[in-house]
Amino acid sequence: MAAVALVQGASRGLGFEFCRYMLLNKPLAAVIATCRNPDGAQHLAALAAQHPGRITVMKLDVNREDDIKRAAESVKCAFGKVDLIVNSSAMLHPSGKGETSLRDVSAQGIISTLTTNTVGPLVMAKYFAPLLQKGTGAFGQQPPEKAKQHSGIIVNMTARVGSIGDNALGGWYSYRMSKAALNMATRNLSIELGRGQTKIVCVSLHPGTVNTDLSLPYHRNVHKDKLFSTEYSVQCLMNIIDNLNTDKTGKAYAWDSTEIAW
């Protein structure tokens, strides 16, 4: 059976590039691309036209649990399994800029950011874990020991600023907190979904500073050699994914494969 990859938040930025990369470089993979408004996702429609029969565009608002549940039911009916899930949707803050001090903090801003960046990926795991357990381990590396093989992979897109140990500057309360909490969710998931014979590898991946709408307000502060294209970042991240195994689960990795301290 062909590999099945689902990209949550696929209409733009890294999510779109993950879809494009797999369609070009994983010829046997079926790609499920989810987004809040498929009718307005013109780039996805064009990509689907270029790869007929290989990409399914599906409505899924990661802030709505009912959407996630319905999407999981649809994927189950259409594919019966999933081998890889990439949770790509993210927001810096509802205002588009991170808070620089306590004066900028609002309860609603924190709640909105946590809902998209942390709660959404965790609820995705709740409904899609059964389908990942039916996967064939088509992504990552499988060791010869049957007991250590995995059936599927969950990738949560994190950020280095979510590392508590690496935080020396402060600020960006909502975004930092959401990514730190996401890292904890990844760790928890790796433990629960790593039990038993059917194991799911769960990792957090940091893409670097990528030229997307999320990082746009801060481009002038980033050296040109450190501002990555989506193509370069996804190529690096897919290299990590292709080399994942059960020994690497429950950890955070940067785009260059180095491990990030929690």
Side-chain angles (χ1 to χ4, degrees):
M1 184 182 294
V4 180
L6 185 149
V7 180
Q8 179 264 111
S11 62
R12 59 181 183 172
L14 287 170
F16 178 82
E17 184 58 30
F18 267 111
C19 294
R20 196 183 74 88
Y21 179 96
M22 285 187 276
L23 289 169
L24 291 174
N25 296 281
K26 305 288 184 181
L28 300 180
V31 177
I32 304 167
T34 76
C35 61
R36 286 181 296 178
N37 180 22
D39 292 338
Q42 297 178 354
H43 294 306
L44 274 181
L47 191 64
Q50 293 169 13
H51 301 273
R54 290 197 54 209
I55 181 169
T56 301
V57 181
M58 191 173 294
K59 182 183 185 302
L60 190 160
D61 183 341
V62 76
N63 294 331
R64 300 175 63 89
E65 185 168 354
D66 287 347
D67 268 21
I68 297 173
K69 182 179 180 180
R70 280 194 294 268
E73 292 169 350
S74 296
V75 172
K76 180 180 179 180
C77 292
F79 297 92
K81 65 151 190 172
V82 177
D83 297 291
L84 170 68
I85 286 181
V86 178
N87 284 306
S88 182
S89 286
M91 65 185 303
L92 183 60
H93 185 268
S95 69
K97 294 184 178 181
E99 310 98 327
T100 57
S101 73
L102 276 172
R103 293 188 301 273
D104 305 318
V105 170
S106 70
Q108 190 54 54
I110 294 173
I111 291 168
S112 296
T113 308
L114 282 167
T115 300
T116 298
N117 295 358
T118 310
V119 179
L122 183 58
V123 177
M124 285 287 296
K126 172 183 176 180
Y127 288 103
F128 281 94
L131 294 175
L132 286 160
Q133 289 171 333
K134 296 180 183 296
T136 56
F139 290 86
Q141 289 186 337
Q142 296 286 11
E145 304 89 348
K146 185 175 181 180
K148 298 182 69 176
Q149 291 182 339
H150 66 269
S151 61
I153 295 172
I154 294 175
V155 170
N156 290 326
M157 298 306 300
T158 190
R160 189 179 294 276
V161 296
S163 168
I164 295 173
D166 193 58
N167 183 2
L169 297 175
W172 287 25
Y173 283 91
S174 298
Y175 192 67
R176 285 185 185 272
M177 290 167 62
S178 72
K179 293 302 186 180
L182 178 63
N183 289 343
M184 177 60 81
T186 298
R187 182 66 173 177
N188 259 25
L189 289 168
S190 73
I191 295 169
E192 179 171 354
L193 301 180
R195 297 180 180 133
Q197 292 185 333
T198 307
K199 303 179 190 303
I200 299 172
V201 173
C202 306
V203 296
S204 292
L205 296 184
H206 166 51
T209 303
V210 186
N211 187 5
T212 63
D213 291 342
L214 186 147
S215 65
L216 184 60
Y218 303 95
H219 285 180
R220 66 180 181 276
N221 299 322
V222 181
H223 192 278
K224 63 178 182 179
D225 294 335
K226 295 296 184 181
L227 182 62
F228 301 150
S229 66
T230 55
E231 293 85 355
Y232 177 75
S233 179
V234 167
Q235 181 180 349
C236 293
L237 297 174
M238 284 301 306
N239 180 62
I240 296 173
I241 292 170
D242 287 338
N243 288 281
L244 287 175
N245 56 46
T246 54
D247 292 334
K248 297 180 179 179
T249 192
K251 299 177 181 178
Y253 299 96
W255 57 273
D256 60 359
S257 299
T258 57
E259 188 174 344
I260 299 175
W262 294 127

